[in-house]
Amino acid sequence: MKFQPKASHFINGEYVEDTNGAPIDVIYPATGEVIARLHSATPEIVNQALNSAKSAQAEWAAMSGTERGRVLRRAADIMRERNHDLSVLETHDTGKPLQETLVADATSGADALEYFGGLAASLTGEHIPLGGGDFVYTIREALGVCVGIGAWNYPTQIACWKGAPALACGNTMIFKPSETTPLSALKVAEILVEAGAPKGVYNVVQGYGDVGASLVTDPRVAKVSLTGSVPTGRKVYAAAAADMKHVTMELGGKSPMIVFDDADIENAVSGAILGNFYSSGQVCSNGTRVFVQKGIKEQFLARLSQRLATAKIGDPLDEEVNFGPMVSKNQMNIALGYIEKGKAEGARLVYGGERIDGDGFYMQPTVFADVTDDMTIAREEIFGPVMSVLDFDTEEEVMARANDTEFGLAAGVFTKDVMRAHRIVAGFEAGTCYINTYNLAPVEAPFGGSKMSGVGRENSKLAINHFSEMKTVYVSMNDVEAPY
Ligand code: NDP
């Protein structure tokens, strides 16, 4: 098989197999062809990974930040050198067009490795002077063994967004990719070892949800970082809480994008395209509720349809193609099911709406207009290329409607009125907001959600706080005063 790795898991610096685990067939979404067969981790494999991460952690944490950072930065360089091959692999794992994977996956993974590699040497505590000569100093300590659990939309990026800050702080990691896209994380593990990471610092185990669940509840684990859906997040958070483990939850969304009638229409349409159809709509922060002020609604829809007609749908390995298949038949059917619900509940289908015939899991980019707040397509996360356009009249009205959701991952506004833009983002109940753009997630900026969309933040200096904790040391320079 074309993309068969040496073995299913990567533990203690090497590939490990146990064919007693349930088979995992890796399917190329563009053709339906099986490109690799892996096996889910058995309890023995999970145990091996936990032991390996546990025993490597003290040595890794004892290295200087400069040394740890050097390993991460070397890994970033290797990833960039191999960007083409890694992108081809990511395209096979996910179906995302090579045009995207060449610029968004190994490259953003490398950015995280480089950024946190750069920070590693300057992770410190602080000195806090107190009265009378006493002082406190704080020591920033690693948490221990961290578990990363990934979704299938950005497997390389997620493996690095979790691994890089964890390792920079002196933790070790066990990463469990989604069983839909298990291949890329193995390459991240290989590259880290090649870059000098000691054995056991970054391990990958494959498996279904039960493998993730067994990792989350293991007493050797100090922290769990999940990228996934809200229902999974709820389970994982609850399981981690039993042992008071640290968590980061990057979950789903149903984010609003507001387009006022003074907006630059061309930019707003670009934002709506990026925020709904990149990666065939399989992006957590997508602005899938597009509120368009009534005065420009028909103009907006007309221009959007014209531009969608120029999307190049086809073989994701063709670099001209910019819209690929869905990650799996299952995900395609979920999205098609929502399209039927949209039609049945009275939304107006403006563009697309159909499956594209063939063996691959292709469907058209789809736009509904005249969507109302109570329709299923306006309330539930679809995780596919289905945009809902909703009308609005006033700023006050749209603000309330934009926030009327259990989710709070992202939100965006398009307007030329600078005062209004800042007023709107101040009112958004969302972790990541955009003014006159959408869906950019540079490693320098915190990323994450409010409300049901998550807990904690990835990327930026803030991620360090989620992968380390402070020890406070009070130092007395005086006699001890006791009351009796
Ligand atoms: P799931 O929630 O189904 O799965 C996420 C991961 O958790 C998978 O690896 C899954 O394994 C694992 N898992 C499932 N059940 C458990 C359990 N009980 N204990 C531990 N681990 C478990 O999400 P999808 O993979 O379907 O990804 C899509 C979702 O991810 C969307 O809702 C999307 O919004 C969200 N997402 C959020 C992002 C963010 O940064 N906020 C970014 C990208 C996606 P398995 O797949 O084998 O079941």
mmCIF file of all heavy atoms in Angstrom, residues 149-153 158 176-179 207-209 212-213 216 226-230 232 235-236 250-253 284 381 383 409 447, ligand 1:
data_model
loop_
_atom_site.group_PDB
_atom_site.id
_atom_site.type_symbol
_atom_site.label_atom_id
_atom_site.label_comp_id
_atom_site.label_asym_id
_atom_site.label_seq_id
_atom_site.Cartn_x
_atom_site.Cartn_y
_atom_site.Cartn_z
ATOM 1 N N ILE A 149 -4.941 14.744 21.959
ATOM 2 C CA ILE A 149 -5.897 13.966 21.165
ATOM 3 C C ILE A 149 -6.379 14.875 20.040
ATOM 4 O O ILE A 149 -6.831 15.994 20.296
ATOM 5 C CB ILE A 149 -7.089 13.491 22.028
ATOM 6 C CG1 ILE A 149 -6.586 12.633 23.198
ATOM 7 C CG2 ILE A 149 -8.086 12.704 21.178
ATOM 8 C CD1 ILE A 149 -7.678 12.167 24.155
ATOM 9 N N GLY A 150 -6.255 14.373 18.807
ATOM 10 C CA GLY A 150 -6.501 15.256 17.672
ATOM 11 C C GLY A 150 -7.738 14.939 16.862
ATOM 12 O O GLY A 150 -8.223 13.807 16.844
ATOM 13 N N ALA A 151 -8.260 15.967 16.188
ATOM 14 C CA ALA A 151 -9.327 15.801 15.184
ATOM 15 C C ALA A 151 -8.663 15.501 13.835
ATOM 16 O O ALA A 151 -7.432 15.500 13.719
ATOM 17 C CB ALA A 151 -10.155 17.072 15.113
ATOM 18 N N TRP A 152 -9.509 15.272 12.812
ATOM 19 C CA TRP A 152 -8.944 14.820 11.534
ATOM 20 C C TRP A 152 -8.723 15.921 10.520
ATOM 21 O O TRP A 152 -8.273 15.660 9.409
ATOM 22 C CB TRP A 152 -9.845 13.732 10.914
ATOM 23 C CG TRP A 152 -11.317 13.987 11.101
ATOM 24 C CD1 TRP A 152 -12.147 13.347 11.980
ATOM 25 C CD2 TRP A 152 -12.129 14.962 10.434
ATOM 26 N NE1 TRP A 152 -13.424 13.865 11.912
ATOM 27 C CE2 TRP A 152 -13.441 14.854 10.960
ATOM 28 C CE3 TRP A 152 -11.888 15.912 9.446
ATOM 29 C CZ2 TRP A 152 -14.500 15.654 10.531
ATOM 30 C CZ3 TRP A 152 -12.938 16.722 9.024
ATOM 31 C CH2 TRP A 152 -14.222 16.588 9.561
ATOM 32 N N ASN A 153 -9.041 17.157 10.865
ATOM 33 C CA ASN A 153 -8.970 18.175 9.808
ATOM 34 C C ASN A 153 -7.571 18.749 9.589
ATOM 35 O O ASN A 153 -7.211 19.078 8.460
ATOM 36 C CB ASN A 153 -10.003 19.280 10.051
ATOM 37 C CG ASN A 153 -9.856 19.925 11.407
ATOM 38 O OD1 ASN A 153 -9.160 19.408 12.284
ATOM 39 N ND2 ASN A 153 -10.501 21.056 11.586
ATOM 40 N N ILE A 158 -2.204 19.963 14.359
ATOM 41 C CA ILE A 158 -2.651 19.690 15.732
ATOM 42 C C ILE A 158 -1.553 18.958 16.507
ATOM 43 O O ILE A 158 -1.290 19.258 17.675
ATOM 44 C CB ILE A 158 -3.981 18.901 15.733
ATOM 45 C CG1 ILE A 158 -5.110 19.742 15.116
ATOM 46 C CG2 ILE A 158 -4.367 18.474 17.153
ATOM 47 C CD1 ILE A 158 -6.412 18.988 14.867
ATOM 48 N N LYS A 176 -2.548 11.028 20.310
ATOM 49 C CA LYS A 176 -3.425 10.078 19.614
ATOM 50 C C LYS A 176 -4.160 10.820 18.504
ATOM 51 O O LYS A 176 -5.031 11.636 18.760
ATOM 52 C CB LYS A 176 -4.458 9.446 20.559
ATOM 53 C CG LYS A 176 -5.178 8.292 19.852
ATOM 54 C CD LYS A 176 -6.557 8.008 20.395
ATOM 55 C CE LYS A 176 -7.634 8.866 19.815
ATOM 56 N NZ LYS A 176 -7.980 8.668 18.404
ATOM 57 N N PRO A 177 -3.783 10.529 17.254
ATOM 58 C CA PRO A 177 -4.490 11.186 16.149
ATOM 59 C C PRO A 177 -5.894 10.613 16.008
ATOM 60 O O PRO A 177 -6.203 9.551 16.556
ATOM 61 C CB PRO A 177 -3.666 10.811 14.911
ATOM 62 C CG PRO A 177 -2.482 10.046 15.384
ATOM 63 C CD PRO A 177 -2.751 9.605 16.778
ATOM 64 N N SER A 178 -6.736 11.310 15.263
ATOM 65 C CA SER A 178 -8.024 10.719 14.884
ATOM 66 C C SER A 178 -7.742 9.484 14.033
ATOM 67 O O SER A 178 -6.810 9.486 13.219
ATOM 68 C CB SER A 178 -8.824 11.727 14.069
ATOM 69 O OG SER A 178 -9.878 11.072 13.400
ATOM 70 N N GLU A 179 -8.551 8.449 14.187
ATOM 71 C CA GLU A 179 -8.274 7.240 13.402
ATOM 72 C C GLU A 179 -8.545 7.467 11.908
ATOM 73 O O GLU A 179 -8.083 6.712 11.068
ATOM 74 C CB GLU A 179 -9.075 6.043 13.944
ATOM 75 C CG GLU A 179 -10.432 5.802 13.325
ATOM 76 C CD GLU A 179 -11.498 6.754 13.846
ATOM 77 O OE1 GLU A 179 -11.215 7.490 14.797
ATOM 78 O OE2 GLU A 179 -12.598 6.750 13.280
ATOM 79 N N GLY A 207 -5.646 4.875 17.462
ATOM 80 C CA GLY A 207 -6.804 4.211 18.048
ATOM 81 C C GLY A 207 -8.083 5.000 17.926
ATOM 82 O O GLY A 207 -8.088 6.162 17.513
ATOM 83 N N TYR A 208 -9.142 4.323 18.296
ATOM 84 C CA TYR A 208 -10.468 4.937 18.321
ATOM 85 C C TYR A 208 -10.635 5.655 19.657
ATOM 86 O O TYR A 208 -9.699 5.723 20.468
ATOM 87 C CB TYR A 208 -11.526 3.850 18.113
ATOM 88 C CG TYR A 208 -11.374 3.162 16.771
ATOM 89 C CD1 TYR A 208 -10.571 2.028 16.626
ATOM 90 C CD2 TYR A 208 -11.999 3.675 15.638
ATOM 91 C CE1 TYR A 208 -10.420 1.410 15.394
ATOM 92 C CE2 TYR A 208 -11.850 3.064 14.401
ATOM 93 C CZ TYR A 208 -11.060 1.931 14.282
ATOM 94 O OH TYR A 208 -10.901 1.345 13.061
ATOM 95 N N GLY A 209 -11.849 6.140 19.901
ATOM 96 C CA GLY A 209 -12.109 6.915 21.122
ATOM 97 C C GLY A 209 -11.737 6.175 22.397
ATOM 98 O O GLY A 209 -11.304 6.788 23.371
ATOM 99 N N GLY A 212 -8.192 6.874 23.382
ATOM 100 C CA GLY A 212 -8.112 8.216 23.970
ATOM 101 C C GLY A 212 -8.612 8.186 25.409
ATOM 102 O O GLY A 212 -7.980 8.730 26.307
ATOM 103 N N ALA A 213 -9.736 7.521 25.610
ATOM 104 C CA ALA A 213 -10.336 7.481 26.950
ATOM 105 C C ALA A 213 -9.402 6.789 27.944
ATOM 106 O O ALA A 213 -9.271 7.231 29.092
ATOM 107 C CB ALA A 213 -11.688 6.779 26.888
ATOM 108 N N VAL A 216 -6.691 9.229 28.947
ATOM 109 C CA VAL A 216 -7.160 10.343 29.778
ATOM 110 C C VAL A 216 -7.297 9.946 31.240
ATOM 111 O O VAL A 216 -7.042 10.743 32.140
ATOM 112 C CB VAL A 216 -8.526 10.852 29.235
ATOM 113 C CG1 VAL A 216 -9.144 11.875 30.171
ATOM 114 C CG2 VAL A 216 -8.364 11.434 27.845
ATOM 115 N N LEU A 226 -7.270 18.365 24.057
ATOM 116 C CA LEU A 226 -8.124 17.740 23.032
ATOM 117 C C LEU A 226 -8.530 18.753 21.973
ATOM 118 O O LEU A 226 -8.913 19.875 22.300
ATOM 119 C CB LEU A 226 -9.406 17.199 23.680
ATOM 120 C CG LEU A 226 -10.506 16.768 22.691
ATOM 121 C CD1 LEU A 226 -10.245 15.356 22.165
ATOM 122 C CD2 LEU A 226 -11.892 16.817 23.325
ATOM 123 N N THR A 227 -8.449 18.364 20.731
ATOM 124 C CA THR A 227 -9.133 19.091 19.661
ATOM 125 C C THR A 227 -10.200 18.150 19.139
ATOM 126 O O THR A 227 -9.887 17.064 18.648
ATOM 127 C CB THR A 227 -8.152 19.485 18.533
ATOM 128 O OG1 THR A 227 -7.206 20.396 19.071
ATOM 129 C CG2 THR A 227 -8.887 20.154 17.385
ATOM 130 N N GLY A 228 -11.445 18.546 19.268
ATOM 131 C CA GLY A 228 -12.524 17.660 18.854
ATOM 132 C C GLY A 228 -13.870 18.337 19.005
ATOM 133 O O GLY A 228 -13.951 19.562 19.142
ATOM 134 N N SER A 229 -14.904 17.533 19.013
ATOM 135 C CA SER A 229 -16.259 18.078 19.061
ATOM 136 C C SER A 229 -16.676 18.369 20.510
ATOM 137 O O SER A 229 -16.047 17.881 21.460
ATOM 138 C CB SER A 229 -17.226 17.062 18.454
ATOM 139 O OG SER A 229 -17.172 15.878 19.205
ATOM 140 N N VAL A 230 -17.747 19.118 20.674
ATOM 141 C CA VAL A 230 -18.234 19.435 22.022
ATOM 142 C C VAL A 230 -18.638 18.163 22.793
ATOM 143 O O VAL A 230 -18.252 18.015 23.960
ATOM 144 C CB VAL A 230 -19.381 20.475 21.959
ATOM 145 C CG1 VAL A 230 -20.058 20.629 23.314
ATOM 146 C CG2 VAL A 230 -18.835 21.804 21.475
ATOM 147 N N THR A 232 -17.474 15.122 22.626
ATOM 148 C CA THR A 232 -16.251 14.440 23.074
ATOM 149 C C THR A 232 -15.568 15.271 24.155
ATOM 150 O O THR A 232 -15.088 14.747 25.161
ATOM 151 C CB THR A 232 -15.296 14.196 21.894
ATOM 152 O OG1 THR A 232 -15.992 13.437 20.916
ATOM 153 C CG2 THR A 232 -14.055 13.442 22.313
ATOM 154 N N LYS A 235 -17.014 14.709 27.543
ATOM 155 C CA LYS A 235 -16.604 13.421 28.156
ATOM 156 C C LYS A 235 -15.164 13.483 28.662
ATOM 157 O O LYS A 235 -14.854 13.031 29.761
ATOM 158 C CB LYS A 235 -16.697 12.301 27.103
ATOM 159 C CG LYS A 235 -18.091 11.768 26.895
ATOM 160 C CD LYS A 235 -18.030 10.532 26.017
ATOM 161 C CE LYS A 235 -18.839 10.749 24.763
ATOM 162 N NZ LYS A 235 -18.636 9.810 23.709
ATOM 163 N N VAL A 236 -14.283 14.025 27.826
ATOM 164 C CA VAL A 236 -12.861 14.040 28.180
ATOM 165 C C VAL A 236 -12.610 14.970 29.370
ATOM 166 O O VAL A 236 -11.866 14.632 30.291
ATOM 167 C CB VAL A 236 -12.010 14.452 26.949
ATOM 168 C CG1 VAL A 236 -10.551 14.672 27.326
ATOM 169 C CG2 VAL A 236 -12.122 13.392 25.851
ATOM 170 N N GLU A 250 -10.125 22.363 22.734
ATOM 171 C CA GLU A 250 -10.366 23.138 21.507
ATOM 172 C C GLU A 250 -11.516 22.453 20.789
ATOM 173 O O GLU A 250 -11.326 21.408 20.160
ATOM 174 C CB GLU A 250 -9.124 23.133 20.616
ATOM 175 C CG GLU A 250 -7.928 23.858 21.200
ATOM 176 C CD GLU A 250 -8.133 25.352 21.319
ATOM 177 O OE1 GLU A 250 -9.150 25.885 20.835
ATOM 178 O OE2 GLU A 250 -7.266 25.986 21.938
ATOM 179 N N LEU A 251 -12.702 23.028 20.893
ATOM 180 C CA LEU A 251 -13.886 22.295 20.434
ATOM 181 C C LEU A 251 -14.553 22.987 19.242
ATOM 182 O O LEU A 251 -13.933 23.780 18.565
ATOM 183 C CB LEU A 251 -14.830 22.104 21.623
ATOM 184 C CG LEU A 251 -14.142 21.519 22.870
ATOM 185 C CD1 LEU A 251 -15.105 21.432 24.041
ATOM 186 C CD2 LEU A 251 -13.543 20.137 22.594
ATOM 187 N N GLY A 252 -15.793 22.648 19.028
ATOM 188 C CA GLY A 252 -16.463 23.109 17.802
ATOM 189 C C GLY A 252 -17.018 24.514 17.900
ATOM 190 O O GLY A 252 -16.860 25.202 18.907
ATOM 191 N N GLY A 253 -17.668 24.938 16.836
ATOM 192 C CA GLY A 253 -18.239 26.279 16.811
ATOM 193 C C GLY A 253 -19.377 26.415 15.813
ATOM 194 O O GLY A 253 -19.662 25.493 15.034
ATOM 195 N N CYS A 284 -12.811 24.327 12.373
ATOM 196 C CA CYS A 284 -13.627 24.564 13.567
ATOM 197 C C CYS A 284 -14.073 26.003 13.714
ATOM 198 O O CYS A 284 -15.152 26.278 14.199
ATOM 199 C CB CYS A 284 -12.831 24.156 14.790
ATOM 200 S SG CYS A 284 -11.202 24.898 14.803
ATOM 201 N N GLU A 381 -23.309 22.753 14.385
ATOM 202 C CA GLU A 381 -22.078 22.731 13.609
ATOM 203 C C GLU A 381 -22.190 21.659 12.532
ATOM 204 O O GLU A 381 -22.517 20.510 12.829
ATOM 205 C CB GLU A 381 -20.890 22.423 14.534
ATOM 206 C CG GLU A 381 -19.580 22.454 13.781
ATOM 207 C CD GLU A 381 -18.376 22.128 14.650
ATOM 208 O OE1 GLU A 381 -18.435 21.143 15.402
ATOM 209 O OE2 GLU A 381 -17.385 22.867 14.573
ATOM 210 N N PHE A 383 -19.658 21.236 9.947
ATOM 211 C CA PHE A 383 -18.297 20.788 9.625
ATOM 212 C C PHE A 383 -18.227 20.280 8.190
ATOM 213 O O PHE A 383 -17.718 19.202 7.888
ATOM 214 C CB PHE A 383 -17.813 19.718 10.617
ATOM 215 C CG PHE A 383 -16.413 19.995 11.091
ATOM 216 C CD1 PHE A 383 -16.108 21.160 11.783
ATOM 217 C CD2 PHE A 383 -15.374 19.110 10.837
ATOM 218 C CE1 PHE A 383 -14.821 21.435 12.211
ATOM 219 C CE2 PHE A 383 -14.064 19.367 11.263
ATOM 220 C CZ PHE A 383 -13.798 20.536 11.951
ATOM 221 N N LEU A 409 -16.446 30.061 19.651
ATOM 222 C CA LEU A 409 -15.063 29.875 19.195
ATOM 223 C C LEU A 409 -14.532 31.133 18.512
ATOM 224 O O LEU A 409 -13.543 31.711 18.937
ATOM 225 C CB LEU A 409 -14.975 28.652 18.266
ATOM 226 C CG LEU A 409 -13.564 28.250 17.845
ATOM 227 C CD1 LEU A 409 -12.649 28.075 19.041
ATOM 228 C CD2 LEU A 409 -13.589 26.962 17.037
ATOM 229 N N PHE A 447 -5.243 31.257 20.463
ATOM 230 C CA PHE A 447 -6.360 30.695 19.702
ATOM 231 C C PHE A 447 -7.169 29.778 20.612
ATOM 232 O O PHE A 447 -6.617 28.914 21.289
ATOM 233 C CB PHE A 447 -5.836 29.896 18.498
ATOM 234 C CG PHE A 447 -6.947 29.308 17.664
ATOM 235 C CD1 PHE A 447 -7.612 30.079 16.721
ATOM 236 C CD2 PHE A 447 -7.352 27.994 17.854
ATOM 237 C CE1 PHE A 447 -8.655 29.554 15.978
ATOM 238 C CE2 PHE A 447 -8.396 27.455 17.113
ATOM 239 C CZ PHE A 447 -9.054 28.240 16.173
HETATM 240 P P1 NDP B 1 -14.358 13.981 17.757
HETATM 241 O O1 NDP B 1 -14.763 14.766 18.928
HETATM 242 O O2 NDP B 1 -15.250 12.934 17.264
HETATM 243 O O3 NDP B 1 -12.954 13.284 18.037
HETATM 244 C C1 NDP B 1 -11.825 14.022 18.462
HETATM 245 C C2 NDP B 1 -10.776 13.058 18.966
HETATM 246 O O4 NDP B 1 -11.181 12.525 20.232
HETATM 247 C C3 NDP B 1 -10.551 11.837 18.072
HETATM 248 O O5 NDP B 1 -9.187 11.512 18.067
HETATM 249 C C4 NDP B 1 -11.392 10.795 18.753
HETATM 250 O O6 NDP B 1 -11.012 9.491 18.426
HETATM 251 C C5 NDP B 1 -11.151 11.104 20.207
HETATM 252 N N1 NDP B 1 -12.171 10.609 21.120
HETATM 253 C C6 NDP B 1 -13.458 10.284 20.872
HETATM 254 N N2 NDP B 1 -14.090 9.895 22.005
HETATM 255 C C7 NDP B 1 -13.186 9.985 23.007
HETATM 256 C C8 NDP B 1 -13.229 9.732 24.420
HETATM 257 N N3 NDP B 1 -14.335 9.339 25.041
HETATM 258 N N4 NDP B 1 -12.098 9.932 25.140
HETATM 259 C C9 NDP B 1 -10.963 10.370 24.545
HETATM 260 N N5 NDP B 1 -10.863 10.611 23.207
HETATM 261 C C10 NDP B 1 -11.957 10.433 22.446
HETATM 262 O O7 NDP B 1 -14.062 15.072 16.632
HETATM 263 P P2 NDP B 1 -13.677 14.838 15.107
HETATM 264 O O8 NDP B 1 -12.423 14.081 14.977
HETATM 265 O O9 NDP B 1 -14.901 14.380 14.409
HETATM 266 O O10 NDP B 1 -13.331 16.349 14.680
HETATM 267 C C11 NDP B 1 -14.284 17.286 14.366
HETATM 268 C C12 NDP B 1 -14.567 18.194 15.547
HETATM 269 O O11 NDP B 1 -13.389 18.812 16.012
HETATM 270 C C13 NDP B 1 -15.484 19.326 15.184
HETATM 271 O O12 NDP B 1 -16.516 19.462 16.132
HETATM 272 C C14 NDP B 1 -14.612 20.553 15.212
HETATM 273 O O13 NDP B 1 -15.261 21.730 15.466
HETATM 274 C C15 NDP B 1 -13.598 20.196 16.220
HETATM 275 N N6 NDP B 1 -12.372 20.918 15.956
HETATM 276 C C16 NDP B 1 -12.020 21.938 16.810
HETATM 277 C C17 NDP B 1 -10.901 22.690 16.565
HETATM 278 C C18 NDP B 1 -10.486 23.772 17.500
HETATM 279 O O14 NDP B 1 -9.326 24.120 17.519
HETATM 280 N N7 NDP B 1 -11.371 24.336 18.295
HETATM 281 C C19 NDP B 1 -10.057 22.436 15.402
HETATM 282 C C20 NDP B 1 -10.501 21.330 14.596
HETATM 283 C C21 NDP B 1 -11.631 20.619 14.889
HETATM 284 P P3 NDP B 1 -11.760 8.779 17.202
HETATM 285 O O15 NDP B 1 -11.730 9.740 16.064
HETATM 286 O O16 NDP B 1 -10.941 7.592 16.973
HETATM 287 O O17 NDP B 1 -13.153 8.526 17.708
#
